[in-house]
Short mmCIF file of all heavy atoms in Angstrom, two decimals:
data_model
loop_
_atom_site.label_atom_id
_atom_site.label_comp_id
_atom_site.label_asym_id
_atom_site.label_seq_id
_atom_site.Cartn_x
_atom_site.Cartn_y
_atom_site.Cartn_z
N LEU A 19 69.91 206.07 -17.16
CA LEU A 19 68.80 207.07 -17.37
C LEU A 19 68.68 208.09 -16.21
O LEU A 19 68.68 209.30 -16.35
CB LEU A 19 67.51 206.31 -17.54
CG LEU A 19 66.17 207.22 -17.57
CD1 LEU A 19 66.21 208.23 -18.72
CD2 LEU A 19 64.95 206.26 -17.68
N ARG A 20 68.65 207.51 -14.98
CA ARG A 20 68.55 208.33 -13.78
C ARG A 20 69.78 209.29 -13.69
O ARG A 20 69.60 210.45 -13.43
CB ARG A 20 68.42 207.48 -12.52
CG ARG A 20 68.18 208.37 -11.31
CD ARG A 20 68.08 207.57 -10.00
NE ARG A 20 69.40 207.10 -9.73
CZ ARG A 20 69.66 206.14 -8.83
NH1 ARG A 20 68.69 205.60 -8.15
NH2 ARG A 20 70.86 205.70 -8.62
N GLU A 21 70.92 208.76 -13.91
CA GLU A 21 72.09 209.57 -13.82
C GLU A 21 72.13 210.73 -14.81
O GLU A 21 72.46 211.84 -14.47
CB GLU A 21 73.40 208.68 -13.95
CG GLU A 21 74.69 209.45 -13.76
CD GLU A 21 75.91 208.56 -13.89
OE1 GLU A 21 75.78 207.33 -13.64
OE2 GLU A 21 76.91 209.12 -14.37
N LYS A 22 71.75 210.44 -16.04
CA LYS A 22 71.68 211.48 -17.05
C LYS A 22 70.63 212.54 -16.75
O LYS A 22 70.85 213.71 -17.03
CB LYS A 22 71.61 210.88 -18.43
CG LYS A 22 72.87 210.22 -18.86
CD LYS A 22 72.88 209.71 -20.26
CE LYS A 22 74.25 209.18 -20.66
NZ LYS A 22 74.24 208.21 -21.72
N ILE A 23 69.50 212.07 -16.26
CA ILE A 23 68.50 213.03 -15.87
C ILE A 23 69.01 213.99 -14.79
O ILE A 23 68.89 215.20 -14.83
CB ILE A 23 67.23 212.32 -15.38
CG1 ILE A 23 66.55 211.59 -16.54
CG2 ILE A 23 66.30 213.28 -14.70
CD1 ILE A 23 65.40 210.66 -16.04
N GLU A 24 69.65 213.30 -13.75
CA GLU A 24 70.17 214.18 -12.64
C GLU A 24 71.28 215.08 -13.12
O GLU A 24 71.29 216.32 -12.74
CB GLU A 24 70.70 213.26 -11.53
CG GLU A 24 69.58 212.55 -10.78
CD GLU A 24 70.11 211.66 -9.67
OE1 GLU A 24 71.34 211.48 -9.48
OE2 GLU A 24 69.27 211.06 -8.97
N ASP A 25 72.18 214.58 -14.02
CA ASP A 25 73.27 215.39 -14.49
C ASP A 25 72.73 216.61 -15.26
O ASP A 25 73.27 217.69 -15.14
CB ASP A 25 74.21 214.51 -15.37
CG ASP A 25 75.03 213.60 -14.51
OD1 ASP A 25 75.06 213.68 -13.28
OD2 ASP A 25 75.70 212.69 -15.18
N GLU A 26 71.72 216.38 -16.09
CA GLU A 26 71.12 217.47 -16.87
C GLU A 26 70.49 218.52 -15.97
O GLU A 26 70.66 219.75 -16.15
CB GLU A 26 70.13 216.92 -17.84
CG GLU A 26 69.50 217.93 -18.76
CD GLU A 26 68.49 217.36 -19.71
OE1 GLU A 26 68.72 216.28 -20.26
OE2 GLU A 26 67.40 217.98 -19.87
N LEU A 27 69.71 218.03 -14.99
CA LEU A 27 69.07 218.96 -14.02
C LEU A 27 70.18 219.75 -13.23
O LEU A 27 69.98 220.99 -13.08
CB LEU A 27 68.20 218.21 -13.09
CG LEU A 27 66.90 217.69 -13.69
CD1 LEU A 27 66.21 216.74 -12.71
CD2 LEU A 27 65.90 218.78 -14.02
N VAL A 28 71.19 219.10 -12.79
CA VAL A 28 72.26 219.74 -12.03
C VAL A 28 72.96 220.75 -12.90
O VAL A 28 73.21 221.92 -12.46
CB VAL A 28 73.24 218.70 -11.48
CG1 VAL A 28 74.46 219.37 -10.92
CG2 VAL A 28 72.54 217.89 -10.41
N HIS A 29 73.25 220.41 -14.13
CA HIS A 29 73.96 221.35 -15.00
C HIS A 29 73.17 222.58 -15.25
O HIS A 29 73.62 223.69 -15.12
CB HIS A 29 74.21 220.65 -16.39
CG HIS A 29 74.78 221.53 -17.40
ND1 HIS A 29 74.02 222.20 -18.29
CD2 HIS A 29 76.09 221.90 -17.67
CE1 HIS A 29 74.78 222.96 -19.11
NE2 HIS A 29 76.06 222.75 -18.67
N ASP A 30 71.83 222.37 -15.52
CA ASP A 30 70.95 223.56 -15.72
C ASP A 30 70.85 224.43 -14.46
O ASP A 30 70.83 225.69 -14.50
CB ASP A 30 69.62 223.09 -16.24
CG ASP A 30 69.63 222.47 -17.60
OD1 ASP A 30 70.66 222.61 -18.31
OD2 ASP A 30 68.62 221.88 -18.00
N PHE A 31 70.70 223.77 -13.31
CA PHE A 31 70.60 224.42 -12.03
C PHE A 31 71.85 225.19 -11.73
O PHE A 31 71.80 226.33 -11.28
CB PHE A 31 70.31 223.39 -10.90
CG PHE A 31 69.93 224.00 -9.64
CD1 PHE A 31 68.76 224.70 -9.41
CD2 PHE A 31 70.80 223.90 -8.53
CE1 PHE A 31 68.40 225.27 -8.17
CE2 PHE A 31 70.50 224.44 -7.28
CZ PHE A 31 69.27 225.09 -7.14
N GLU A 32 73.00 224.57 -12.00
CA GLU A 32 74.32 225.17 -11.74
C GLU A 32 74.49 226.44 -12.66
O GLU A 32 74.96 227.49 -12.13
CB GLU A 32 75.40 224.22 -12.02
CG GLU A 32 76.81 224.64 -11.55
CD GLU A 32 77.76 223.51 -11.61
OE1 GLU A 32 77.60 222.59 -12.48
OE2 GLU A 32 78.65 223.49 -10.83
N GLU A 33 74.08 226.37 -13.91
CA GLU A 33 74.15 227.56 -14.80
C GLU A 33 73.31 228.65 -14.25
O GLU A 33 73.73 229.85 -14.24
CB GLU A 33 73.71 227.17 -16.18
CG GLU A 33 74.78 226.53 -17.00
CD GLU A 33 74.40 226.40 -18.50
OE1 GLU A 33 73.18 226.60 -18.78
OE2 GLU A 33 75.29 226.07 -19.24
N LEU A 34 72.17 228.39 -13.83
CA LEU A 34 71.19 229.37 -13.24
C LEU A 34 71.88 230.06 -11.97
O LEU A 34 71.90 231.28 -11.89
CB LEU A 34 69.94 228.66 -12.89
CG LEU A 34 68.77 229.52 -12.41
CD1 LEU A 34 67.49 228.90 -12.95
CD2 LEU A 34 68.75 229.58 -10.90
N ILE A 35 72.29 229.19 -11.08
CA ILE A 35 72.91 229.73 -9.78
C ILE A 35 74.19 230.52 -10.07
O ILE A 35 74.41 231.53 -9.41
CB ILE A 35 73.17 228.56 -8.87
CG1 ILE A 35 71.88 227.85 -8.46
CG2 ILE A 35 73.94 229.06 -7.58
CD1 ILE A 35 70.89 228.62 -7.73
N SER A 36 74.96 230.10 -11.00
CA SER A 36 76.24 230.79 -11.23
C SER A 36 76.07 232.17 -11.84
O SER A 36 76.99 232.98 -11.90
CB SER A 36 77.18 229.97 -12.09
OG SER A 36 76.65 229.85 -13.42
N SER A 37 74.87 232.48 -12.36
CA SER A 37 74.56 233.78 -12.90
C SER A 37 74.48 234.87 -11.87
O SER A 37 74.50 236.07 -12.17
CB SER A 37 73.29 233.74 -13.77
OG SER A 37 72.18 233.62 -12.94
N TYR A 38 74.31 234.46 -10.59
CA TYR A 38 74.16 235.41 -9.51
C TYR A 38 75.49 236.09 -9.18
O TYR A 38 76.39 235.35 -8.77
CB TYR A 38 73.52 234.77 -8.29
CG TYR A 38 73.39 235.62 -7.06
CD1 TYR A 38 72.68 236.78 -7.14
CD2 TYR A 38 73.94 235.28 -5.86
CE1 TYR A 38 72.53 237.63 -6.04
CE2 TYR A 38 73.75 236.05 -4.71
CZ TYR A 38 73.08 237.26 -4.80
OH TYR A 38 72.95 238.04 -3.71
N GLN A 39 75.50 237.32 -9.31
CA GLN A 39 76.77 238.15 -9.09
C GLN A 39 76.46 239.27 -8.15
O GLN A 39 76.30 240.40 -8.63
CB GLN A 39 77.37 238.61 -10.37
CG GLN A 39 77.73 237.56 -11.38
CD GLN A 39 78.89 236.67 -10.88
OE1 GLN A 39 79.75 237.15 -10.16
NE2 GLN A 39 78.84 235.43 -11.24
N PRO A 40 76.42 239.10 -6.83
CA PRO A 40 76.14 240.19 -5.92
C PRO A 40 77.23 241.18 -5.75
O PRO A 40 78.38 240.87 -6.09
CB PRO A 40 75.89 239.51 -4.60
CG PRO A 40 76.78 238.32 -4.66
CD PRO A 40 76.73 237.90 -6.13
N THR A 41 76.89 242.39 -5.34
CA THR A 41 77.91 243.41 -5.02
C THR A 41 77.68 243.84 -3.63
O THR A 41 76.62 243.52 -3.01
CB THR A 41 77.73 244.60 -5.99
OG1 THR A 41 76.50 245.20 -5.74
CG2 THR A 41 77.91 244.17 -7.45
N GLN A 42 78.59 244.57 -3.09
CA GLN A 42 78.42 245.08 -1.71
C GLN A 42 77.20 245.95 -1.63
O GLN A 42 76.53 246.00 -0.59
CB GLN A 42 79.69 245.89 -1.29
CG GLN A 42 80.93 245.03 -1.11
CD GLN A 42 80.84 244.11 0.09
OE1 GLN A 42 80.00 244.24 0.97
NE2 GLN A 42 81.75 243.17 0.16
N GLU A 43 76.88 246.69 -2.71
CA GLU A 43 75.72 247.55 -2.67
C GLU A 43 74.38 246.82 -2.91
O GLU A 43 73.36 247.21 -2.44
CB GLU A 43 75.84 248.60 -3.80
CG GLU A 43 77.08 249.56 -3.70
CD GLU A 43 78.38 248.85 -4.12
OE1 GLU A 43 78.32 248.10 -5.10
OE2 GLU A 43 79.42 249.16 -3.43
N ASN A 44 74.45 245.71 -3.66
CA ASN A 44 73.26 244.98 -4.00
C ASN A 44 73.52 243.48 -3.74
O ASN A 44 73.95 242.78 -4.62
CB ASN A 44 72.82 245.21 -5.40
CG ASN A 44 71.55 244.45 -5.81
OD1 ASN A 44 70.81 244.02 -4.91
ND2 ASN A 44 71.32 244.27 -7.09
N TYR A 45 73.24 243.04 -2.57
CA TYR A 45 73.43 241.65 -2.19
C TYR A 45 72.13 240.83 -2.19
O TYR A 45 72.22 239.69 -1.79
CB TYR A 45 74.15 241.53 -0.90
CG TYR A 45 73.48 242.32 0.22
CD1 TYR A 45 72.35 241.82 0.87
CD2 TYR A 45 74.02 243.52 0.58
CE1 TYR A 45 71.74 242.61 1.81
CE2 TYR A 45 73.40 244.31 1.59
CZ TYR A 45 72.23 243.83 2.20
OH TYR A 45 71.67 244.55 3.10
N SER A 46 71.07 241.39 -2.61
CA SER A 46 69.81 240.68 -2.64
C SER A 46 69.91 239.39 -3.51
O SER A 46 70.35 239.54 -4.66
CB SER A 46 68.68 241.55 -3.08
OG SER A 46 67.49 240.76 -3.14
N ALA A 47 69.47 238.30 -2.99
CA ALA A 47 69.47 237.03 -3.71
C ALA A 47 68.15 236.75 -4.40
O ALA A 47 67.87 235.73 -4.94
CB ALA A 47 69.90 235.90 -2.82
N LYS A 48 67.20 237.72 -4.24
CA LYS A 48 65.81 237.46 -4.68
C LYS A 48 65.71 237.01 -6.11
O LYS A 48 64.98 236.08 -6.42
CB LYS A 48 64.97 238.70 -4.41
CG LYS A 48 63.48 238.34 -4.63
CD LYS A 48 62.56 239.33 -4.06
CE LYS A 48 61.16 238.80 -4.11
NZ LYS A 48 60.26 239.56 -3.28
N SER A 49 66.41 237.65 -7.01
CA SER A 49 66.29 237.33 -8.42
C SER A 49 66.75 235.89 -8.74
O SER A 49 66.11 235.18 -9.45
CB SER A 49 67.06 238.33 -9.34
OG SER A 49 68.45 238.23 -9.08
N VAL A 50 67.87 235.49 -8.12
CA VAL A 50 68.37 234.13 -8.36
C VAL A 50 67.48 233.10 -7.65
O VAL A 50 67.27 232.03 -8.12
CB VAL A 50 69.86 233.96 -8.00
CG1 VAL A 50 70.11 233.95 -6.53
CG2 VAL A 50 70.43 232.77 -8.67
N VAL A 51 66.96 233.47 -6.50
CA VAL A 51 66.05 232.59 -5.80
C VAL A 51 64.76 232.39 -6.61
O VAL A 51 64.26 231.27 -6.73
CB VAL A 51 65.73 233.07 -4.35
CG1 VAL A 51 64.65 232.25 -3.67
CG2 VAL A 51 66.99 233.04 -3.53
N GLU A 52 64.27 233.47 -7.16
CA GLU A 52 63.04 233.37 -8.04
C GLU A 52 63.28 232.47 -9.21
O GLU A 52 62.51 231.55 -9.55
CB GLU A 52 62.65 234.75 -8.58
CG GLU A 52 61.99 235.60 -7.58
CD GLU A 52 61.79 237.05 -8.10
OE1 GLU A 52 62.45 237.53 -8.99
OE2 GLU A 52 60.77 237.64 -7.63
N GLN A 53 64.49 232.59 -9.81
CA GLN A 53 64.85 231.71 -10.95
C GLN A 53 64.96 230.24 -10.54
O GLN A 53 64.53 229.36 -11.23
CB GLN A 53 66.16 232.18 -11.62
CG GLN A 53 66.04 233.52 -12.28
CD GLN A 53 67.36 234.02 -12.79
OE1 GLN A 53 68.31 233.29 -12.91
NE2 GLN A 53 67.48 235.28 -13.09
N ALA A 54 65.62 230.02 -9.35
CA ALA A 54 65.81 228.63 -8.85
C ALA A 54 64.42 228.01 -8.56
O ALA A 54 64.20 226.84 -8.92
CB ALA A 54 66.71 228.67 -7.63
N VAL A 55 63.60 228.76 -7.87
CA VAL A 55 62.29 228.21 -7.49
C VAL A 55 61.44 227.92 -8.77
O VAL A 55 60.81 226.86 -8.86
CB VAL A 55 61.53 229.12 -6.50
CG1 VAL A 55 60.08 228.73 -6.33
CG2 VAL A 55 62.23 229.11 -5.18
N SER A 56 61.56 228.86 -9.69
CA SER A 56 60.85 228.67 -10.99
C SER A 56 61.30 227.40 -11.72
O SER A 56 60.56 226.59 -12.30
CB SER A 56 60.96 229.93 -11.90
OG SER A 56 60.34 229.75 -13.10
N PHE A 57 62.66 227.22 -11.76
CA PHE A 57 63.27 226.11 -12.38
C PHE A 57 62.75 224.80 -11.75
O PHE A 57 62.35 223.86 -12.46
CB PHE A 57 64.81 226.17 -12.22
CG PHE A 57 65.56 225.02 -12.68
CD1 PHE A 57 65.84 224.80 -14.01
CD2 PHE A 57 65.93 224.01 -11.82
CE1 PHE A 57 66.51 223.66 -14.47
CE2 PHE A 57 66.63 222.87 -12.26
CZ PHE A 57 66.90 222.73 -13.58
N VAL A 58 62.72 224.76 -10.47
CA VAL A 58 62.27 223.61 -9.73
C VAL A 58 60.79 223.42 -9.93
O VAL A 58 60.30 222.25 -10.17
CB VAL A 58 62.62 223.64 -8.24
CG1 VAL A 58 61.97 222.52 -7.38
CG2 VAL A 58 64.17 223.60 -8.02
N GLU A 59 60.01 224.48 -9.91
CA GLU A 59 58.58 224.41 -10.10
C GLU A 59 58.14 223.87 -11.46
O GLU A 59 57.20 223.11 -11.60
CB GLU A 59 57.94 225.76 -9.86
CG GLU A 59 56.44 225.74 -9.57
CD GLU A 59 55.93 227.05 -8.98
OE1 GLU A 59 56.57 228.14 -9.23
OE2 GLU A 59 54.94 227.01 -8.26
N GLU A 60 58.90 224.24 -12.50
CA GLU A 60 58.64 223.76 -13.80
C GLU A 60 58.75 222.27 -13.94
O GLU A 60 58.12 221.64 -14.78
CB GLU A 60 59.60 224.41 -14.85
CG GLU A 60 59.29 225.85 -15.13
CD GLU A 60 60.33 226.52 -15.97
OE1 GLU A 60 61.30 225.80 -16.48
OE2 GLU A 60 60.31 227.73 -16.07
N GLN A 61 59.59 221.66 -13.07
CA GLN A 61 59.83 220.24 -13.13
C GLN A 61 59.53 219.62 -11.76
O GLN A 61 60.20 218.72 -11.33
CB GLN A 61 61.26 219.99 -13.53
CG GLN A 61 61.61 220.65 -14.91
CD GLN A 61 62.97 220.51 -15.29
OE1 GLN A 61 63.38 219.45 -15.77
NE2 GLN A 61 63.74 221.59 -15.16
N LYS A 62 58.52 220.09 -11.13
CA LYS A 62 58.23 219.79 -9.71
C LYS A 62 58.12 218.28 -9.51
O LYS A 62 58.69 217.77 -8.53
CB LYS A 62 56.93 220.51 -9.33
CG LYS A 62 56.80 220.62 -7.84
CD LYS A 62 55.63 221.55 -7.51
CE LYS A 62 55.48 221.79 -6.04
NZ LYS A 62 54.51 222.76 -5.70
N PHE A 63 57.37 217.58 -10.35
CA PHE A 63 57.08 216.20 -10.10
C PHE A 63 58.40 215.38 -10.19
O PHE A 63 58.70 214.60 -9.32
CB PHE A 63 56.10 215.63 -11.09
CG PHE A 63 55.79 214.21 -10.94
CD1 PHE A 63 55.00 213.75 -9.87
CD2 PHE A 63 56.22 213.23 -11.83
CE1 PHE A 63 54.73 212.41 -9.70
CE2 PHE A 63 55.93 211.92 -11.70
CZ PHE A 63 55.12 211.50 -10.62
#
């Protein structure tokens, strides 16, 4: 149970993080950080 919970959370977190594609002109990580914090906040406990 614990392993599957962790694997699901990691999979979802990894998908979210992998969506970040910075460029030399726009390297701000704010959008992906907002998504990551929101993801964690939704399942904070």
Side-chain angles (χ1 to χ4, degrees):
L19 170 61
R20 186 183 70 193
E21 183 178 330
K22 285 185 175 158
I23 290 169
E24 288 180 359
D25 289 349
E26 183 180 318
L27 287 168
V28 169
H29 175 267
D30 293 346
F31 188 70
E32 191 169 30
E33 278 189 348
L34 185 145
I35 299 297
S36 69
S37 69
Y38 177 55
Q39 300 295 325
T41 63
Q42 292 291 346
E43 299 78 37
N44 181 18
Y45 50 78
S46 175
K48 188 164 189 164
S49 65
V50 74
V51 172
E52 285 174 332
Q53 292 173 17
V55 169
S56 177
F57 173 83
V58 171
E59 197 164 28
E60 287 172 10
Q61 304 176 77
K62 196 172 188 174
F63 181 72

